[in-house]
Structure formats: C-alpha cells, structure tokens
Amino acid sequence: VMGWCLQFPFVVVYDAASRPRVEWLVGVLRQAVAAPREEGDGTRTLLKRLSNQLRQVLLLRHDDFAATFPACCARGADWNASDFFGRVGALPRCVLPWPRVFLAGRQVRLTEDLIRTLGVTHIIVNADSFDVMDNTSGGGGNGLSDRSSDVEGVRYLKCDVPDRDASPDLQAVLEGAVAFLEDCAAQNGAAVIRVHGQSRGASLACAFLMGARGLSAEAAWEELRAAGIQGLDRSLL
C-alpha cells in the first residue's frame, strides 16, 4: 500500500460521510511539508516523504469514481486488502481513460481473476507460436516466461516480437496495436498492454495516441507522463 501511496498524483475518494476525513488528511499532508523530520517516527517519515513527492491531491466523489472504476470499489465489512491482492496480484496502471488502457509490467500476471476484476475486453501481449497453439500468452521472452491461459470472451492481439531494440516486425506490431485499440474504443471496452516490460508496452500506447488521435511523438510521451507512470525507459519508446 505504501508503494501505491508514494505514486503521484495522490487521489482521495470520498462521499458525504467521509468529507471531514478527507479535509483532515489534506491538512495533515500540508503540515508534514513544513514539519521537521523526526528520526524513529515512521508515520511522520512516511507523511513527509509522501508530501514531498506530491504534485497535487485530487478529490473525487465516490459515485463518480465507482461509475468509472467499478472494479476498484467494494462494499461490506468483510473485504480484506490482503486477500484481494493475494488473489489478483500486482495491478497494472491505467494510462488512458478512453478507451481505458492499462499498462502492465513484468510483475503483472494476466489471470482470469485480474482480467474479470478490471473488466478487460482486449489484451495486447507478447507471445510465440506455442502460445497460439496452446491458447496461452507470455512467450517470446527469455524462455522462462510465466505463460497465462487465455480467458474466454476476451480478444487477444498476440505479438511475436523479441525484447530487443531492433526488430523488423516492430512496425507491423505498432500498426496492429493501433487498429486493435481503435476496435476496443469502438466497443467501449478496456484493454491491457503487457508486451515484455512497461517501457515496451508504453511504445504501443504512444503509437495509438499518434495513429488514432494525431498526436506527435513528444505529445504522446507527455500524455503518458501526465498519467504518472514512473520508470519508463524513453529509449525503448
């Protein structure tokens, strides 16, 4: 949870009953900016680090958030974060609001639980000939890839592209990804891109922004940066 909190921008979801707690949290963060660091106080250290990394605090009404990201909402006192993340694993990052596109790194496993939870309809993933025959994905990497079984009802674009800078097939993969994501948008769907690491996948998201929306490479890159995705290797884009 700490790792997610230290990503920015920081989003707080509230309803009428929790508005006072939201205002309290914002006040605590403001105080942490000016407060001296106290050794041994883990909570204050975390707040100080959090406040230093924030660009902005976004306050979202619960009803609006739930309508856009229903998979992120739960009801009842029995919900447990440890059980949830133990079941679905690491979550991909949302990089585009429409079509909703999630960018997955190597640590994300494309299990049926994760895909159903996020409401994913389209998946772009690295694969090889064995994946095509076995209805799996994840091959074409270092030979030790953790392959995932295809999920019924989900459309896949399986890209047999190596994880290296130069590939003669890369242009065809980018063009195919643009058309695939345009189809996702036309169906009001949601997509996951998991092509080797996050930086490789980000190149496909940039290609979509350039091909479907007419953005320049620089503008497409800035839109990904605006989504708060950290650690991308721009040389791979």
Side-chain angles (χ1 to χ4, degrees):
V1 174
M2 287 174 59
W4 278 75
C5 287
L6 292 173
Q7 300 288 339
F8 54 83
F10 191 74
V11 179
V12 179
V13 180
Y14 71 95
D15 56 20
S18 60
R19 177 72 190 220
R21 292 194 292 273
V22 169
E23 295 173 347
W24 169 83
L25 175 59
V26 173
V28 168
L29 293 174
R30 286 175 175 168
Q31 292 175 16
V33 174
R37 178 172 178 176
E38 297 182 13
E39 298 297 336
D41 187 342
T43 300
R44 185 173 293 278
T45 299
L46 173 60
L47 287 173
K48 183 72 173 178
R49 185 180 172 197
L50 175 60
S51 62
N52 286 339
Q53 294 196 28
L54 284 174
R55 289 187 305 181
Q56 55 186 325
V57 177
L58 305 179
L59 303 181
L60 306 181
R61 291 180 60 253
H62 180 271
D63 290 346
D64 295 337
F65 182 84
T68 306
F69 296 100
C72 298
C73 300
R75 294 183 181 274
D78 295 334
W79 186 85
N80 183 283
S82 297
D83 293 342
F84 174 79
F85 286 105
R87 177 168 56 85
V88 303
L91 298 176
R93 299 292 304 276
C94 185
V95 293
L96 297 177
W98 186 85
R100 190 166 306 132
V101 176
F102 297 94
L103 185 60
R106 299 179 191 274
Q107 77 279 16
V108 176
R109 299 185 66 248
L110 298 180
T111 63
E112 182 169 2
D113 266 340
L114 174 65
I115 292 168
R116 300 297 188 201
T117 297
L118 296 178
V120 170
T121 58
H122 292 64
I123 296 176
I124 305 176
V125 63
N126 55 278
D128 57 23
S129 57
F130 292 103
D131 289 316
V132 175
M133 293 186 292
D134 298 336
N135 292 322
T136 58
S137 60
N142 58 13
L144 302 176
S145 301
D146 184 12
R147 298 175 191 259
S148 301
S149 298
D150 292 353
V151 176
E152 185 177 356
V154 176
R155 296 193 62 188
Y156 287 81
L157 178 63
K158 299 184 178 183
C159 306
D160 189 1
V161 58
D163 186 15
R164 61 172 184 264
D165 293 341
S167 172
D169 300 323
L170 184 57
Q171 184 64 33
V173 169
L174 294 175
E175 292 174 354
V178 172
F180 190 75
L181 292 175
E182 287 180 327
D183 178 71
C184 177
Q187 297 185 31
N188 198 29
V192 169
I193 302 175
R194 187 187 185 278
V195 179
H196 301 298
Q198 271 197 148
S199 296
R200 296 289 183 190
S203 66
L204 275 65
C206 282
F208 171 71
L209 291 171
M210 296 168 65
R213 301 186 185 173
L215 297 186
S216 66
E218 186 66 27
W221 165 253
E222 288 301 322
E223 185 149 339
L224 291 188
R225 285 189 54 183
I229 306 301
Q230 303 298 303
L232 295 179
D233 184 351
R234 188 168 183 176
S235 68
L236 299 180
L237 298 181

